[in-house]
Amino acid sequence: MHDPGHASALPGPLARHDTLATASVDEFRHQASSLLSEHRIRRIDAVDTAPFRGRVRAASLGDLQLVYLEQGIGIDVDILEHLDYYDLMLAVEGTNQITCNDARTHVGPAHAALLSPRMRARMQMDASYRQMHLRIEQHALDRRLECLIGRSAPGPVIFDLSVDLTTPQLSTWMSSLQVVIRDLDAESGLTAHPLAAASVQDMLLTGLLLAQPHTYSAVLPTTISLGSPPAHSPAPWTPTNNTSPSR
């Protein structure tokens, strides 16, 4: 997401989908909470007098939602409730330090973070941080996993928290996501058509399940014949433990 050559020249992603521009922390928090989850915001530096510059943009694509946020000051954020969706956090600019249970990671030019259902997190965002969230509804990811493995899963997919965007698969996946974001910003993009939107959603979810480690990675088929459903073994299986969500 980070493009230092254009950061100051472009209005930023989802420019056609402005929802809110405000100097009010409470107004920003309320709008962002309605799109993601309830959270608490406070300045990192209590004596900092820099003005708060909140901006919220949002666009939907089937069961996915892209949410762009910026605040213009360094802030600490506490998510106050356990998530019931997946939240992929990407940096457009700046950095974000994340703590989730005993795990820590950061979001920046080469790394993202992926929260799974039942998780909570604390975040520390620097003043330059501009963020893109990809919200994925749990039922949509469950359905996509079932299509890939040929059976129902006994529990939710739990992804590894840290996402290395430099791996070949995730680099390709990110390129696809950036194409989607640019299309959403177009006047009459292809994603405006429901049939195209459904195909794009399936592509993004399949790619994420294949590229980012999670508790069902071991049971995903490594090869699938075109025109044939994925093969699966009749033997029972259970997910592996990659990340333990907060309960």
Side-chain angles (χ1 to χ4, degrees), residues 119-188:
M119 289 183 178
R120 291 175 56 188
R122 299 184 65 183
M123 297 168 282
Q124 186 173 87
M125 305 172 184
D126 68 31
S128 66
Y129 187 60
R130 298 188 295 140
Q131 55 193 301
M132 180 69 77
H133 294 254
L134 176 63
R135 173 178 175 142
I136 303 169
E137 299 305 323
Q138 183 180 336
H139 67 84
L141 194 77
D142 288 347
R143 185 170 63 241
R144 195 70 204 131
L145 177 66
E146 290 171 9
C147 288
L148 294 174
I149 65 177
R151 67 180 74 184
S152 298
V157 174
I158 304 299
F159 286 99
D160 282 3
L161 175 65
S162 183
V163 181
D164 182 357
L165 300 176
T166 66
T167 67
Q169 287 188 337
L170 279 165
S171 178
T172 299
W173 187 89
M174 273 299 300
S175 295
S176 300
L177 180 62
Q178 289 168 338
V179 169
V180 171
I181 292 172
R182 288 196 296 271
D183 188 79
L184 287 167
D185 262 337
E187 285 290 338
S188 300

Short mmCIF file of all heavy atoms in Angstrom, two decimals, residues 119-188:
data_model
loop_
_atom_site.label_atom_id
_atom_site.label_comp_id
_atom_site.label_asym_id
_atom_site.label_seq_id
_atom_site.Cartn_x
_atom_site.Cartn_y
_atom_site.Cartn_z
N MET A 119 -10.69 -12.29 18.63
CA MET A 119 -9.48 -11.57 19.05
C MET A 119 -9.80 -10.13 19.42
O MET A 119 -10.80 -9.55 18.98
CB MET A 119 -8.44 -11.57 17.93
CG MET A 119 -7.79 -12.91 17.66
SD MET A 119 -6.51 -12.77 16.38
CE MET A 119 -5.91 -14.46 16.36
N ARG A 120 -8.95 -9.57 20.26
CA ARG A 120 -8.92 -8.15 20.55
C ARG A 120 -7.48 -7.69 20.40
O ARG A 120 -6.55 -8.50 20.39
CB ARG A 120 -9.40 -7.86 21.98
CG ARG A 120 -10.87 -8.11 22.22
CD ARG A 120 -11.22 -7.93 23.69
NE ARG A 120 -10.84 -6.61 24.18
CZ ARG A 120 -10.90 -6.25 25.46
NH1 ARG A 120 -11.30 -7.12 26.37
NH2 ARG A 120 -10.55 -5.03 25.83
N ALA A 121 -7.27 -6.37 20.29
CA ALA A 121 -5.91 -5.89 20.11
C ALA A 121 -5.77 -4.48 20.66
O ALA A 121 -6.75 -3.74 20.81
CB ALA A 121 -5.53 -5.90 18.63
N ARG A 122 -4.53 -4.13 20.97
CA ARG A 122 -4.15 -2.75 21.30
C ARG A 122 -3.17 -2.29 20.24
O ARG A 122 -2.31 -3.05 19.79
CB ARG A 122 -3.51 -2.68 22.69
CG ARG A 122 -4.42 -3.13 23.82
CD ARG A 122 -3.76 -2.94 25.17
NE ARG A 122 -3.53 -1.51 25.43
CZ ARG A 122 -2.91 -1.06 26.53
NH1 ARG A 122 -2.46 -1.92 27.44
NH2 ARG A 122 -2.75 0.22 26.72
N MET A 123 -3.29 -1.03 19.84
CA MET A 123 -2.47 -0.51 18.75
C MET A 123 -1.89 0.85 19.11
O MET A 123 -2.53 1.64 19.80
CB MET A 123 -3.31 -0.40 17.48
CG MET A 123 -3.83 -1.74 16.97
SD MET A 123 -5.09 -1.56 15.68
CE MET A 123 -6.52 -1.15 16.68
N GLN A 124 -0.69 1.09 18.61
CA GLN A 124 -0.05 2.40 18.76
C GLN A 124 0.35 2.87 17.36
O GLN A 124 1.21 2.30 16.72
CB GLN A 124 1.16 2.33 19.67
CG GLN A 124 1.77 3.69 19.98
CD GLN A 124 2.87 3.62 21.02
OE1 GLN A 124 4.04 3.39 20.67
NE2 GLN A 124 2.51 3.80 22.27
N MET A 125 -0.33 3.94 16.91
CA MET A 125 -0.17 4.42 15.54
C MET A 125 0.59 5.74 15.56
O MET A 125 0.26 6.64 16.34
CB MET A 125 -1.55 4.64 14.90
CG MET A 125 -2.44 3.42 14.94
SD MET A 125 -4.12 3.79 14.38
CE MET A 125 -4.92 2.20 14.67
N ASP A 126 1.61 5.87 14.68
CA ASP A 126 2.34 7.13 14.63
C ASP A 126 1.51 8.19 13.88
O ASP A 126 0.49 7.87 13.26
CB ASP A 126 3.74 6.95 14.03
CG ASP A 126 3.74 6.60 12.55
OD1 ASP A 126 2.83 7.01 11.82
OD2 ASP A 126 4.68 5.90 12.13
N ALA A 127 1.97 9.44 13.95
CA ALA A 127 1.18 10.55 13.42
C ALA A 127 0.99 10.48 11.91
O ALA A 127 0.01 11.00 11.37
CB ALA A 127 1.84 11.88 13.80
N SER A 128 1.92 9.83 11.21
CA SER A 128 1.81 9.74 9.75
C SER A 128 0.99 8.54 9.28
O SER A 128 0.76 8.37 8.07
CB SER A 128 3.21 9.66 9.12
OG SER A 128 3.85 8.45 9.49
N TYR A 129 0.53 7.73 10.23
CA TYR A 129 -0.13 6.47 9.85
C TYR A 129 -1.47 6.71 9.17
O TYR A 129 -2.35 7.40 9.70
CB TYR A 129 -0.34 5.61 11.10
CG TYR A 129 -0.86 4.22 10.81
CD1 TYR A 129 -0.13 3.33 10.03
CD2 TYR A 129 -2.06 3.77 11.35
CE1 TYR A 129 -0.58 2.06 9.78
CE2 TYR A 129 -2.53 2.49 11.12
CZ TYR A 129 -1.79 1.63 10.33
OH TYR A 129 -2.24 0.37 10.09
N ARG A 130 -1.57 6.15 7.98
CA ARG A 130 -2.84 6.11 7.25
C ARG A 130 -3.11 4.64 6.95
O ARG A 130 -2.24 3.94 6.46
CB ARG A 130 -2.76 6.94 5.96
CG ARG A 130 -2.49 8.42 6.20
CD ARG A 130 -2.61 9.24 4.92
NE ARG A 130 -1.60 8.87 3.96
CZ ARG A 130 -1.81 8.76 2.64
NH1 ARG A 130 -3.01 8.95 2.14
NH2 ARG A 130 -0.82 8.43 1.83
N GLN A 131 -4.30 4.19 7.23
CA GLN A 131 -4.56 2.76 7.26
C GLN A 131 -5.70 2.35 6.35
O GLN A 131 -6.66 3.09 6.14
CB GLN A 131 -4.88 2.33 8.69
CG GLN A 131 -6.04 3.11 9.32
CD GLN A 131 -6.16 2.90 10.80
OE1 GLN A 131 -6.33 1.78 11.26
NE2 GLN A 131 -6.06 3.98 11.57
N MET A 132 -5.56 1.13 5.83
CA MET A 132 -6.63 0.49 5.06
C MET A 132 -6.98 -0.81 5.76
O MET A 132 -6.11 -1.63 6.06
CB MET A 132 -6.19 0.21 3.63
CG MET A 132 -7.26 -0.45 2.78
SD MET A 132 -8.65 0.65 2.39
CE MET A 132 -7.90 1.66 1.12
N HIS A 133 -8.26 -0.99 6.05
CA HIS A 133 -8.76 -2.23 6.63
C HIS A 133 -9.54 -2.99 5.57
O HIS A 133 -10.36 -2.40 4.86
CB HIS A 133 -9.69 -1.95 7.81
CG HIS A 133 -9.02 -1.33 8.99
ND1 HIS A 133 -8.74 -2.02 10.15
CD2 HIS A 133 -8.59 -0.06 9.20
CE1 HIS A 133 -8.16 -1.21 11.01
NE2 HIS A 133 -8.06 -0.01 10.46
N LEU A 134 -9.29 -4.28 5.48
CA LEU A 134 -10.15 -5.16 4.70
C LEU A 134 -10.96 -5.99 5.68
O LEU A 134 -10.42 -6.87 6.34
CB LEU A 134 -9.34 -6.07 3.77
CG LEU A 134 -10.16 -7.10 2.98
CD1 LEU A 134 -11.13 -6.40 2.04
CD2 LEU A 134 -9.24 -8.05 2.21
N ARG A 135 -12.25 -5.66 5.80
CA ARG A 135 -13.13 -6.40 6.70
C ARG A 135 -13.76 -7.55 5.91
O ARG A 135 -14.33 -7.35 4.83
CB ARG A 135 -14.23 -5.48 7.25
CG ARG A 135 -15.27 -6.25 8.05
CD ARG A 135 -16.33 -5.36 8.64
NE ARG A 135 -17.35 -6.18 9.29
CZ ARG A 135 -17.97 -5.87 10.42
NH1 ARG A 135 -17.69 -4.72 11.03
NH2 ARG A 135 -18.87 -6.68 10.94
N ILE A 136 -13.63 -8.76 6.47
CA ILE A 136 -14.15 -9.97 5.84
C ILE A 136 -15.15 -10.61 6.79
O ILE A 136 -14.80 -10.95 7.93
CB ILE A 136 -13.03 -10.98 5.53
CG1 ILE A 136 -11.95 -10.33 4.65
CG2 ILE A 136 -13.59 -12.23 4.88
CD1 ILE A 136 -10.69 -11.16 4.52
N GLU A 137 -16.37 -10.77 6.36
CA GLU A 137 -17.37 -11.41 7.22
C GLU A 137 -17.03 -12.89 7.39
O GLU A 137 -16.64 -13.58 6.44
CB GLU A 137 -18.77 -11.25 6.62
CG GLU A 137 -19.21 -9.81 6.48
CD GLU A 137 -19.14 -9.03 7.79
OE1 GLU A 137 -19.43 -9.62 8.86
OE2 GLU A 137 -18.78 -7.85 7.74
N GLN A 138 -17.19 -13.40 8.61
CA GLN A 138 -16.78 -14.76 8.91
C GLN A 138 -17.52 -15.79 8.06
O GLN A 138 -16.91 -16.75 7.58
CB GLN A 138 -17.01 -15.06 10.40
CG GLN A 138 -16.54 -16.45 10.80
CD GLN A 138 -16.76 -16.76 12.27
OE1 GLN A 138 -16.84 -15.85 13.10
NE2 GLN A 138 -16.85 -18.04 12.61
N HIS A 139 -18.81 -15.58 7.84
CA HIS A 139 -19.57 -16.58 7.07
C HIS A 139 -19.05 -16.69 5.64
O HIS A 139 -19.09 -17.76 5.03
CB HIS A 139 -21.07 -16.25 7.08
CG HIS A 139 -21.43 -15.00 6.34
ND1 HIS A 139 -21.65 -14.98 4.98
CD2 HIS A 139 -21.61 -13.72 6.76
CE1 HIS A 139 -21.94 -13.75 4.59
NE2 HIS A 139 -21.93 -12.97 5.66
N ALA A 140 -18.54 -15.58 5.09
CA ALA A 140 -18.03 -15.59 3.72
C ALA A 140 -16.74 -16.41 3.64
O ALA A 140 -16.55 -17.21 2.71
CB ALA A 140 -17.79 -14.18 3.23
N LEU A 141 -15.85 -16.24 4.62
CA LEU A 141 -14.60 -17.00 4.62
C LEU A 141 -14.89 -18.47 4.91
O LEU A 141 -14.28 -19.36 4.31
CB LEU A 141 -13.62 -16.43 5.63
CG LEU A 141 -12.19 -16.94 5.46
CD1 LEU A 141 -11.52 -16.25 4.29
CD2 LEU A 141 -11.37 -16.75 6.72
N ASP A 142 -15.81 -18.75 5.83
CA ASP A 142 -16.20 -20.14 6.11
C ASP A 142 -16.70 -20.83 4.85
O ASP A 142 -16.31 -21.97 4.55
CB ASP A 142 -17.31 -20.18 7.17
CG ASP A 142 -16.83 -19.83 8.57
OD1 ASP A 142 -15.61 -19.79 8.78
OD2 ASP A 142 -17.68 -19.58 9.43
N ARG A 143 -17.55 -20.13 4.11
CA ARG A 143 -18.12 -20.70 2.88
C ARG A 143 -17.03 -20.96 1.84
O ARG A 143 -17.04 -21.99 1.17
CB ARG A 143 -19.18 -19.76 2.34
CG ARG A 143 -19.94 -20.31 1.13
CD ARG A 143 -21.13 -19.42 0.79
NE ARG A 143 -20.70 -18.09 0.40
CZ ARG A 143 -21.04 -16.98 1.06
NH1 ARG A 143 -21.77 -17.05 2.16
NH2 ARG A 143 -20.63 -15.80 0.62
N ARG A 144 -16.08 -20.03 1.74
CA ARG A 144 -15.01 -20.21 0.75
C ARG A 144 -14.12 -21.38 1.14
O ARG A 144 -13.70 -22.17 0.28
CB ARG A 144 -14.18 -18.93 0.65
CG ARG A 144 -13.30 -18.90 -0.58
CD ARG A 144 -14.14 -18.74 -1.84
NE ARG A 144 -13.45 -19.27 -3.01
CZ ARG A 144 -13.99 -20.09 -3.88
NH1 ARG A 144 -15.24 -20.49 -3.75
NH2 ARG A 144 -13.31 -20.51 -4.93
N LEU A 145 -13.81 -21.52 2.42
CA LEU A 145 -13.00 -22.65 2.87
C LEU A 145 -13.70 -23.97 2.58
O LEU A 145 -13.08 -24.92 2.10
CB LEU A 145 -12.71 -22.53 4.37
CG LEU A 145 -11.94 -23.69 4.99
CD1 LEU A 145 -10.52 -23.77 4.43
CD2 LEU A 145 -11.90 -23.58 6.52
N GLU A 146 -15.00 -24.02 2.85
CA GLU A 146 -15.75 -25.26 2.60
C GLU A 146 -15.72 -25.63 1.12
O GLU A 146 -15.67 -26.81 0.77
CB GLU A 146 -17.18 -25.08 3.09
CG GLU A 146 -17.30 -25.03 4.62
CD GLU A 146 -18.68 -24.64 5.10
OE1 GLU A 146 -19.61 -24.57 4.26
OE2 GLU A 146 -18.85 -24.40 6.31
N CYS A 147 -15.76 -24.64 0.24
CA CYS A 147 -15.68 -24.92 -1.20
C CYS A 147 -14.33 -25.51 -1.56
O CYS A 147 -14.23 -26.36 -2.45
CB CYS A 147 -15.92 -23.64 -2.00
SG CYS A 147 -17.61 -23.04 -1.99
N LEU A 148 -13.28 -25.08 -0.87
CA LEU A 148 -11.94 -25.54 -1.20
C LEU A 148 -11.64 -26.93 -0.64
O LEU A 148 -10.93 -27.71 -1.27
CB LEU A 148 -10.90 -24.55 -0.66
CG LEU A 148 -10.90 -23.16 -1.31
CD1 LEU A 148 -9.91 -22.24 -0.59
CD2 LEU A 148 -10.57 -23.23 -2.79
N ILE A 149 -12.17 -27.25 0.55
CA ILE A 149 -11.82 -28.53 1.18
C ILE A 149 -12.92 -29.57 1.03
O ILE A 149 -12.73 -30.74 1.36
CB ILE A 149 -11.47 -28.35 2.67
CG1 ILE A 149 -12.68 -27.87 3.47
CG2 ILE A 149 -10.29 -27.40 2.83
CD1 ILE A 149 -12.40 -27.74 4.97
N GLY A 150 -14.10 -29.15 0.57
CA GLY A 150 -15.16 -30.11 0.29
C GLY A 150 -15.96 -30.56 1.49
O GLY A 150 -16.67 -31.56 1.42
N ARG A 151 -15.88 -29.83 2.60
CA ARG A 151 -16.65 -30.19 3.79
C ARG A 151 -16.71 -29.00 4.74
O ARG A 151 -15.97 -28.02 4.57
CB ARG A 151 -16.02 -31.38 4.52
CG ARG A 151 -14.66 -31.05 5.13
CD ARG A 151 -14.06 -32.24 5.86
NE ARG A 151 -13.57 -33.21 4.91
CZ ARG A 151 -13.07 -34.38 5.25
NH1 ARG A 151 -13.02 -34.73 6.53
NH2 ARG A 151 -12.62 -35.23 4.34
N SER A 152 -17.60 -29.09 5.72
CA SER A 152 -17.72 -28.03 6.71
C SER A 152 -16.54 -28.06 7.66
O SER A 152 -15.99 -29.12 7.96
CB SER A 152 -19.02 -28.18 7.51
OG SER A 152 -20.14 -28.07 6.66
N ALA A 153 -16.15 -26.89 8.14
CA ALA A 153 -15.07 -26.79 9.12
C ALA A 153 -15.66 -26.76 10.52
O ALA A 153 -16.71 -26.14 10.74
CB ALA A 153 -14.24 -25.54 8.87
N PRO A 154 -15.03 -27.42 11.49
CA PRO A 154 -15.59 -27.47 12.84
C PRO A 154 -15.46 -26.18 13.64
O PRO A 154 -16.07 -26.04 14.69
CB PRO A 154 -14.80 -28.60 13.51
CG PRO A 154 -13.50 -28.62 12.77
CD PRO A 154 -13.83 -28.25 11.35
N GLY A 155 -14.68 -25.24 13.16
CA GLY A 155 -14.49 -23.98 13.88
C GLY A 155 -13.98 -22.92 12.93
O GLY A 155 -13.65 -23.19 11.77
N PRO A 156 -13.88 -21.68 13.41
CA PRO A 156 -13.44 -20.60 12.52
C PRO A 156 -11.97 -20.74 12.14
O PRO A 156 -11.16 -21.30 12.87
CB PRO A 156 -13.67 -19.34 13.37
CG PRO A 156 -13.58 -19.82 14.78
CD PRO A 156 -14.17 -21.20 14.78
N VAL A 157 -11.65 -20.22 10.97
CA VAL A 157 -10.25 -20.10 10.56
C VAL A 157 -9.57 -19.08 11.47
O VAL A 157 -10.09 -17.99 11.69
CB VAL A 157 -10.16 -19.63 9.10
CG1 VAL A 157 -8.70 -19.38 8.70
CG2 VAL A 157 -10.81 -20.63 8.16
N ILE A 158 -8.40 -19.45 12.01
CA ILE A 158 -7.60 -18.51 12.79
C ILE A 158 -6.27 -18.32 12.06
O ILE A 158 -5.47 -19.24 11.95
CB ILE A 158 -7.34 -19.03 14.23
CG1 ILE A 158 -8.66 -19.33 14.94
CG2 ILE A 158 -6.53 -17.98 15.01
CD1 ILE A 158 -9.58 -18.14 15.11
N PHE A 159 -6.07 -17.11 11.54
CA PHE A 159 -4.86 -16.81 10.79
C PHE A 159 -3.71 -16.45 11.73
O PHE A 159 -3.92 -15.98 12.85
CB PHE A 159 -5.10 -15.61 9.86
CG PHE A 159 -5.94 -15.91 8.65
CD1 PHE A 159 -7.29 -15.60 8.64
CD2 PHE A 159 -5.37 -16.47 7.51
CE1 PHE A 159 -8.07 -15.86 7.52
CE2 PHE A 159 -6.14 -16.72 6.38
CZ PHE A 159 -7.49 -16.42 6.39
N ASP A 160 -2.49 -16.63 11.25
CA ASP A 160 -1.33 -16.04 11.92
C ASP A 160 -1.54 -14.53 11.94
O ASP A 160 -1.97 -13.93 10.95
CB ASP A 160 -0.04 -16.37 11.18
CG ASP A 160 0.44 -17.79 11.43
OD1 ASP A 160 -0.26 -18.54 12.14
OD2 ASP A 160 1.52 -18.15 10.90
N LEU A 161 -1.18 -13.90 13.05
CA LEU A 161 -1.40 -12.47 13.21
C LEU A 161 -0.54 -11.65 12.25
O LEU A 161 -1.02 -10.71 11.62
CB LEU A 161 -1.10 -12.06 14.65
CG LEU A 161 -1.16 -10.57 14.99
CD1 LEU A 161 -2.58 -10.04 14.84
CD2 LEU A 161 -0.65 -10.33 16.42
N SER A 162 0.74 -11.98 12.14
CA SER A 162 1.67 -11.20 11.33
C SER A 162 1.61 -11.64 9.88
O SER A 162 1.60 -12.84 9.57
CB SER A 162 3.09 -11.38 11.87
OG SER A 162 4.00 -10.59 11.15
N VAL A 163 1.55 -10.67 8.98
CA VAL A 163 1.44 -10.94 7.54
C VAL A 163 2.65 -10.34 6.84
O VAL A 163 2.84 -9.12 6.85
CB VAL A 163 0.15 -10.33 6.96
CG1 VAL A 163 0.04 -10.65 5.46
CG2 VAL A 163 -1.08 -10.84 7.71
N ASP A 164 3.48 -11.19 6.25
CA ASP A 164 4.67 -10.75 5.53
C ASP A 164 4.29 -10.52 4.06
O ASP A 164 4.13 -11.46 3.29
CB ASP A 164 5.77 -11.80 5.65
CG ASP A 164 7.06 -11.39 4.96
OD1 ASP A 164 7.10 -10.32 4.33
OD2 ASP A 164 8.04 -12.16 5.05
N LEU A 165 4.18 -9.26 3.68
CA LEU A 165 3.73 -8.91 2.33
C LEU A 165 4.81 -9.09 1.27
O LEU A 165 4.54 -8.88 0.09
CB LEU A 165 3.23 -7.47 2.31
CG LEU A 165 2.06 -7.15 3.24
CD1 LEU A 165 1.73 -5.66 3.19
CD2 LEU A 165 0.83 -7.98 2.87
N THR A 166 6.03 -9.50 1.70
CA THR A 166 7.11 -9.67 0.73
C THR A 166 7.19 -11.09 0.17
O THR A 166 7.95 -11.34 -0.76
CB THR A 166 8.47 -9.32 1.36
OG1 THR A 166 8.79 -10.27 2.39
CG2 THR A 166 8.45 -7.91 1.95
N THR A 167 6.43 -12.04 0.72
CA THR A 167 6.45 -13.39 0.18
C THR A 167 5.83 -13.38 -1.22
O THR A 167 4.97 -12.54 -1.52
CB THR A 167 5.66 -14.37 1.06
OG1 THR A 167 4.27 -14.03 1.03
CG2 THR A 167 6.16 -14.34 2.50
N PRO A 168 6.26 -14.27 -2.11
CA PRO A 168 5.74 -14.25 -3.48
C PRO A 168 4.21 -14.32 -3.57
O PRO A 168 3.59 -13.56 -4.34
CB PRO A 168 6.40 -15.47 -4.12
CG PRO A 168 7.67 -15.65 -3.35
CD PRO A 168 7.33 -15.26 -1.93
N GLN A 169 3.60 -15.20 -2.79
CA GLN A 169 2.15 -15.36 -2.88
C GLN A 169 1.42 -14.12 -2.37
O GLN A 169 0.46 -13.65 -2.99
CB GLN A 169 1.70 -16.59 -2.11
CG GLN A 169 2.06 -17.90 -2.80
CD GLN A 169 1.44 -19.10 -2.10
OE1 GLN A 169 1.10 -19.05 -0.92
NE2 GLN A 169 1.30 -20.19 -2.82
N LEU A 170 1.86 -13.58 -1.24
CA LEU A 170 1.18 -12.41 -0.69
C LEU A 170 1.49 -11.16 -1.50
O LEU A 170 0.64 -10.25 -1.58
CB LEU A 170 1.57 -12.22 0.78
CG LEU A 170 0.79 -13.12 1.73
CD1 LEU A 170 1.43 -13.18 3.11
CD2 LEU A 170 -0.66 -12.68 1.85
N SER A 171 2.65 -11.10 -2.12
CA SER A 171 2.94 -9.97 -3.01
C SER A 171 1.99 -9.98 -4.20
O SER A 171 1.45 -8.93 -4.59
CB SER A 171 4.40 -10.07 -3.49
OG SER A 171 4.69 -9.01 -4.38
N THR A 172 1.74 -11.15 -4.77
CA THR A 172 0.78 -11.27 -5.87
C THR A 172 -0.62 -10.91 -5.39
O THR A 172 -1.38 -10.20 -6.06
CB THR A 172 0.79 -12.70 -6.43
OG1 THR A 172 2.09 -12.99 -6.94
CG2 THR A 172 -0.24 -12.86 -7.55
N TRP A 173 -0.97 -11.41 -4.20
CA TRP A 173 -2.31 -11.12 -3.65
C TRP A 173 -2.49 -9.63 -3.42
O TRP A 173 -3.55 -9.07 -3.73
CB TRP A 173 -2.49 -11.89 -2.34
CG TRP A 173 -3.87 -11.80 -1.78
CD1 TRP A 173 -4.93 -12.63 -2.05
CD2 TRP A 173 -4.36 -10.84 -0.84
NE1 TRP A 173 -6.03 -12.23 -1.35
CE2 TRP A 173 -5.72 -11.13 -0.60
CE3 TRP A 173 -3.78 -9.76 -0.18
CZ2 TRP A 173 -6.51 -10.39 0.27
CZ3 TRP A 173 -4.55 -9.01 0.68
CH2 TRP A 173 -5.90 -9.32 0.91
N MET A 174 -1.47 -8.95 -2.90
CA MET A 174 -1.55 -7.52 -2.67
C MET A 174 -1.71 -6.75 -3.98
O MET A 174 -2.45 -5.77 -4.05
CB MET A 174 -0.32 -7.02 -1.92
CG MET A 174 -0.43 -7.11 -0.42
SD MET A 174 -1.79 -6.12 0.26
CE MET A 174 -1.33 -4.49 -0.29
N SER A 175 -1.03 -7.20 -5.02
CA SER A 175 -1.19 -6.56 -6.33
C SER A 175 -2.64 -6.66 -6.80
O SER A 175 -3.19 -5.70 -7.35
CB SER A 175 -0.26 -7.20 -7.36
OG SER A 175 1.10 -6.98 -7.02
N SER A 176 -3.26 -7.80 -6.55
CA SER A 176 -4.66 -7.98 -6.92
C SER A 176 -5.57 -7.05 -6.12
O SER A 176 -6.49 -6.43 -6.66
CB SER A 176 -5.08 -9.44 -6.70
OG SER A 176 -4.31 -10.32 -7.47
N LEU A 177 -5.29 -6.94 -4.82
CA LEU A 177 -6.10 -6.06 -3.98
C LEU A 177 -5.97 -4.60 -4.43
O LEU A 177 -6.95 -3.86 -4.46
CB LEU A 177 -5.69 -6.20 -2.52
CG LEU A 177 -6.46 -5.31 -1.52
CD1 LEU A 177 -7.94 -5.67 -1.51
CD2 LEU A 177 -5.87 -5.43 -0.12
N GLN A 178 -4.78 -4.19 -4.80
CA GLN A 178 -4.58 -2.81 -5.25
C GLN A 178 -5.33 -2.53 -6.54
O GLN A 178 -5.87 -1.44 -6.74
CB GLN A 178 -3.07 -2.54 -5.40
CG GLN A 178 -2.36 -2.46 -4.06
CD GLN A 178 -0.86 -2.48 -4.18
OE1 GLN A 178 -0.31 -2.95 -5.17
NE2 GLN A 178 -0.18 -1.99 -3.16
N VAL A 179 -5.41 -3.52 -7.43
CA VAL A 179 -6.21 -3.38 -8.65
C VAL A 179 -7.68 -3.19 -8.28
O VAL A 179 -8.39 -2.34 -8.86
CB VAL A 179 -6.03 -4.60 -9.57
CG1 VAL A 179 -7.06 -4.58 -10.71
CG2 VAL A 179 -4.62 -4.64 -10.14
N VAL A 180 -8.15 -3.96 -7.31
CA VAL A 180 -9.54 -3.84 -6.87
C VAL A 180 -9.81 -2.46 -6.29
O VAL A 180 -10.84 -1.83 -6.59
CB VAL A 180 -9.87 -4.94 -5.83
CG1 VAL A 180 -11.24 -4.70 -5.20
CG2 VAL A 180 -9.81 -6.32 -6.47
N ILE A 181 -8.90 -1.95 -5.48
CA ILE A 181 -9.08 -0.63 -4.87
C ILE A 181 -9.13 0.45 -5.95
O ILE A 181 -9.97 1.36 -5.90
CB ILE A 181 -7.96 -0.36 -3.85
CG1 ILE A 181 -8.12 -1.28 -2.65
CG2 ILE A 181 -7.99 1.10 -3.39
CD1 ILE A 181 -6.97 -1.24 -1.67
N ARG A 182 -8.25 0.35 -6.93
CA ARG A 182 -8.28 1.33 -8.03
C ARG A 182 -9.58 1.23 -8.81
O ARG A 182 -10.15 2.25 -9.23
CB ARG A 182 -7.08 1.11 -8.96
CG ARG A 182 -5.75 1.53 -8.36
CD ARG A 182 -4.68 1.66 -9.43
NE ARG A 182 -4.38 0.39 -10.07
CZ ARG A 182 -3.46 -0.46 -9.63
NH1 ARG A 182 -2.75 -0.18 -8.53
NH2 ARG A 182 -3.23 -1.59 -10.26
N ASP A 183 -10.08 0.03 -9.00
CA ASP A 183 -11.34 -0.15 -9.71
C ASP A 183 -12.51 0.46 -8.93
O ASP A 183 -13.41 1.06 -9.52
CB ASP A 183 -11.60 -1.64 -9.96
CG ASP A 183 -12.78 -1.88 -10.88
OD1 ASP A 183 -12.61 -1.74 -12.10
OD2 ASP A 183 -13.88 -2.19 -10.36
N LEU A 184 -12.50 0.31 -7.61
CA LEU A 184 -13.55 0.90 -6.79
C LEU A 184 -13.53 2.43 -6.87
O LEU A 184 -14.56 3.09 -6.69
CB LEU A 184 -13.39 0.46 -5.33
CG LEU A 184 -13.76 -0.98 -5.01
CD1 LEU A 184 -13.25 -1.38 -3.63
CD2 LEU A 184 -15.27 -1.17 -5.08
N ASP A 185 -12.37 2.99 -7.16
CA ASP A 185 -12.25 4.44 -7.29
C ASP A 185 -12.65 4.94 -8.68
O ASP A 185 -12.76 6.15 -8.89
CB ASP A 185 -10.82 4.89 -6.99
CG ASP A 185 -10.67 5.40 -5.56
OD1 ASP A 185 -11.69 5.81 -4.98
OD2 ASP A 185 -9.54 5.39 -5.03
N ALA A 186 -12.83 4.02 -9.62
CA ALA A 186 -13.20 4.42 -10.98
C ALA A 186 -14.68 4.77 -11.04
O ALA A 186 -15.49 4.31 -10.23
CB ALA A 186 -12.88 3.30 -11.96
N GLU A 187 -15.04 5.59 -12.02
CA GLU A 187 -16.43 6.01 -12.17
C GLU A 187 -17.36 4.84 -12.40
O GLU A 187 -18.43 4.74 -11.82
CB GLU A 187 -16.55 7.02 -13.32
CG GLU A 187 -16.05 8.41 -13.00
CD GLU A 187 -16.95 9.13 -12.01
OE1 GLU A 187 -18.13 8.77 -11.88
OE2 GLU A 187 -16.46 10.06 -11.34
N SER A 188 -16.98 3.95 -13.31
CA SER A 188 -17.81 2.78 -13.63
C SER A 188 -16.92 1.55 -13.68
O SER A 188 -16.73 0.92 -14.73
CB SER A 188 -18.54 2.97 -14.97
OG SER A 188 -19.38 4.10 -14.92
#
